[in-house]
Amino acid sequence: MNNRIPEDLIERAYQGKSTKEDGLLLLELPPLELFRFADELRSLATGNIVTYVVNRNINFTSRCVGTCRFCAFRTNTGRVLSLEEILGKVREAEQANATEVCIQGGLLPEVGLDFYLGIVEAIKAEFPEMHIHSFSPMEVYHAARNSGITVKEALFRLKKSGLDTMPGTAAEILSDRVREIICPSKLKTAEWIEVVRQAHAAGIPTTATMMYGHIETLEERIDHMLIIREIQKETGGITEFVPLPFMPYNNPVGEKMIKEGRYATPGLEDLKTYAISRILLYGHVDNIQASWVKLGKKFAQFALHCGANDLGGTLMEESISRSAGASNGEQISVEELEWMIYGAGRVPKERNTLYGRVNELVSRNPKRSGCRAK
């Protein structure tokens, strides 16, 4: 085929109107041509700044009644962190200048909304300035169902208690064909969309994720991105899109793949996924996050030339990816993240969860002022 991108496709991308057919055509291009176009759109959307957030992950339990066949984190015997243990981890995060805590956990059988409200209220009581970015759409749906209330009511109460934003996880691939195979007891596609829409209506912004590279087709990946675009066009509540390559170790879906001679996604496929997401979401979702945990540090740097403009967080105790075979560490320092960004030819900038600037930390802790890009 012609190596050049058709003019009408370019025009649709600039207008934020790329089609599914455009996405499939772009995947057939020579990779460097695809990356060049995605990088151009990244530059128009966000300039040369690459952002990161200082945060901490807190997984309060690995116990879960879910049946997800891709999960390497779930156990039947894991303990549940006490409220004091969770607060202890938040204290450590605050001492490390974190602006965000991301709290998620397995689905406990008898736990209702009060459990989640208790976590949020205890954190806000001691750390009113800490941004709580917590509880997946599946967790909210599960808590609402166990409490006999609507998702709308659950979200309203979480917001009132102090929940600031939600991670748009549990999305996997937004295709009921795929979900029936890899996570049959999880939210259906329409249910995930509805929880996210209701969160936005309640004033709770979310991220949006896509776990790719298992049993889905390329068409289903593109459909997923276009669903995210439609939600964003309606609500404007999505802060970032995070493509997450599937980690095939220590889980049934991955074991089957490996027996078939398919391992983790090839690196070129990862980079093309980032590029396509930038193009399809251009004009709607400005921020595309490259996961250094999933990709590795050097590959995450290269993704910054394929459409990505954010490297996520310092994490401080990332355990879900690690249990599935990720080998790139559980945390990273601000200094190393900024070194990575400079090394990729970009300008580092710390952000908060909502992609606002974080300036007050310099005066709060002078030790940090020397490592932030001015």
Side-chain angles (χ1 to χ4, degrees):
M1 66 168 286
N2 188 335
N3 288 350
R4 293 188 61 81
I5 305 174
E7 287 296 326
D8 59 332
L9 189 156
I10 292 172
E11 188 60 32
R12 282 192 294 276
Y14 282 141
Q15 294 174 356
K17 297 178 179 177
S18 296
T19 65
K20 180 175 180 177
E21 292 69 32
D22 291 341
L24 292 170
L25 179 64
L26 287 163
L27 286 171
E28 296 178 14
L29 288 173
L32 294 181
E33 182 70 11
L34 173 63
F35 300 159
R36 182 205 60 75
F37 185 41
D39 195 49
E40 178 186 325
L41 294 180
R42 183 272 317 154
S43 179
L44 289 170
T46 61
N48 281 330
I49 289 173
V50 170
T51 47
Y52 64 89
V53 63
V54 181
N55 66 348
R56 175 166 198 164
N57 273 19
I58 302 173
N59 301 121
F60 57 80
T61 187
S62 59
R63 281 170 49 197
C64 186
V65 298
T67 57
C68 299
R69 298 182 65 246
F70 58 82
C71 184
F73 181 68
R74 175 172 58 91
T75 65
N76 293 321
T77 56
R79 59 186 296 272
V80 181
L81 294 182
S82 68
L83 205 50
E84 186 49 47
E85 286 173 309
I86 292 172
L87 287 171
K89 290 177 181 290
V90 180
R91 287 184 199 108
E92 291 172 2
E94 205 251 356
Q95 288 162 10
N97 281 330
T99 60
E100 167 196 299
V101 286
C102 180
I103 305 169
Q104 297 183 91
L107 305 176
L108 296 164
E110 306 302 328
V111 161
L113 187 66
D114 287 347
F115 174 82
Y116 298 92
L117 296 175
I119 292 173
V120 173
E121 289 165 4
I123 293 171
K124 283 296 185 183
E126 187 171 343
F127 306 99
E129 300 302 313
M130 184 65 75
H131 187 105
I132 302 178
H133 177 66
S134 300
F135 314 136
S136 72
M138 185 67 228
E139 288 175 277
V140 172
Y141 181 88
H142 176 76
R145 186 171 52 188
N146 279 358
S147 296
I149 61 175
T150 64
V151 165
K152 181 177 181 180
E153 173 68 14
L155 288 163
F156 173 79
R157 291 175 61 186
L158 283 164
K159 172 71 174 176
K160 188 176 178 183
S161 290
L163 181 66
D164 296 300
T165 56
M166 278 172 52
T169 49
E172 325 320 348
I173 293 290
L174 294 173
S175 154
D176 284 338
R177 181 196 75 84
V178 173
R179 300 176 82 78
E180 190 59 39
I181 297 168
I182 68 169
C183 53
S185 61
K186 218 167 201 172
L187 291 162
K188 300 287 189 252
T189 297
E191 291 169 331
W192 187 93
I193 292 169
E194 187 59 20
V195 175
V196 169
R197 287 176 66 250
Q198 292 281 2
H200 298 168
I204 304 171
T206 72
T207 62
T209 63
M210 178 181 76
M211 185 188 73
Y212 66 92
H214 36 89
I215 67 163
E216 84 286 356
T217 64
L218 294 176
E219 288 88 347
E220 285 166 332
R221 278 186 213 175
I222 289 172
D223 284 340
H224 181 111
M225 296 176 195
L226 294 177
I227 287 171
I228 298 304
R229 189 175 79 184
E230 287 306 305
I231 296 171
Q232 184 72 337
K233 284 165 67 175
E234 179 188 339
T235 70
I238 295 172
T239 59
E240 65 189 10
F241 182 64
V242 192
L244 299 167
F246 172 60
M247 311 302 289
Y249 302 100
N250 307 319
N251 61 75
V253 171
E255 286 166 12
K256 184 173 186 294
M257 284 175 56
I258 291 168
K259 283 179 183 174
E260 295 169 354
R262 294 188 299 131
Y263 298 85
T265 47
L268 194 59
E269 190 176 330
D270 290 322
L271 296 174
K272 288 169 79 170
T273 301
Y274 280 90
I276 290 293
S277 66
R278 169 59 71 187
I279 295 166
L280 293 182
L281 295 175
Y282 180 73
H284 303 285
V285 180
D286 284 343
N287 301 300
I288 307 293
Q289 184 184 121
S291 169
W292 61 266
V293 174
K294 304 280 192 183
L295 295 177
K297 294 168 184 174
K298 289 188 176 182
F299 225 62
Q301 285 179 298
F302 197 82
L304 298 178
H305 290 267
C306 304
N309 69 296
D310 183 79
L311 284 184
T314 53
L315 295 181
M316 285 179 71
E317 199 181 13
E318 198 293 322
S319 53
I320 294 176
S321 296
R322 177 166 48 90
S323 62
S327 57
N328 300 303
E330 297 178 49
Q331 65 184 62
I332 192 170
S333 68
V334 166
E335 290 80 2
E336 186 174 2
L337 267 178
E338 295 205 341
W339 173 84
M340 285 169 59
I341 295 165
Y342 279 126
R346 299 281 190 259
V347 179
K349 185 73 71 176
E350 183 180 347
R351 64 169 173 86
N352 62 24
T353 311
L354 294 171
Y355 279 81
R357 291 190 175 183
V358 177
N359 295 319
E360 67 276 9
L361 291 184
V362 177
S363 57
R364 189 172 64 159
N365 188 342
K367 289 190 293 184
R368 285 287 300 282
S369 60
C371 66
R372 180 178 293 107
K374 298 295 188 286

